[in-house]
Amino acid sequence: MHNLTHQTRTIPLTGYVAAGTDGARVDLTEIDMRGFSGFRICASIGTVTATGQMAIYAKNSSTSATYGSGTVDDIGSNTGNTSNRIVIAEFYRPKERYVKPQYQRTTANVVINAIWAELFNPDDAPVEQLTTHVDDAPVFYNNPTPSET
């Protein structure tokens, strides 16, 4: 593989979320995994107050928009508590077609810079980025020569 973008579909899930705690989990945009065998959820966290915790979760279902409450249908999670880091949870071959990402901030304030998903291992490549998710056409540089000025 020479260009990651040709092998990955990027989906923004949320932008900036001001410092706070959520109590319950917050649902993000559902992902249709058709045509891909793996995905990862990436959360860029900003400032975390001393005891703050940021968690990302993924639920899995064979039916769109149908997920169990609480931890029912969970397939995995990851947590972070350090300011200015990225928390990643990666999944390969989920059993069902649809995925519902979620996040939860607990104990003390956590700032979210952005959360996005990346679908990978496509059945067919190259992958076309969806214009509803990615601005303009991605730019690819293969063996670029540095400028001299």
Side-chain angles (χ1 to χ4, degrees), residues 8-12 32 36 119 127-136 138:
T8 309
R9 176 165 293 153
T10 303
I11 302 170
D32 184 347
F36 294 88
L119 281 63
V127 172
E128 181 179 338
Q129 296 297 326
L130 302 177
T131 57
T132 55
H133 298 150
V134 177
D135 192 29
D136 297 325

Side-chain angles (χ1 to χ4, degrees), residues 136-147:
D136 297 325
V139 177
F140 306 98
Y141 298 98
N142 289 314
N143 198 26
T145 301
S147 67

Side-chain angles (χ1 to χ4, degrees), residues 17-78:
V17 180
T21 58
D22 306 302
R25 293 182 185 188
V26 177
D27 288 338
L28 298 168
T29 305
E30 180 179 70
I31 300 169
D32 184 347
M33 289 294 300
R34 192 170 109 207
F36 294 88
S37 62
F39 74 97
R40 68 185 196 162
I41 301 167
C42 305
S44 171
I45 55 177
T47 302
V48 178
T49 303
T51 58
Q53 286 283 330
M54 170 70 179
I56 51 177
Y57 301 91
K59 289 179 170 277
N60 201 206
S61 178
S62 61
T63 307
S64 177
T66 306
Y67 301 90
S69 63
T71 59
V72 175
D73 296 327
D74 274 4
I75 56 172
S77 65
N78 195 5

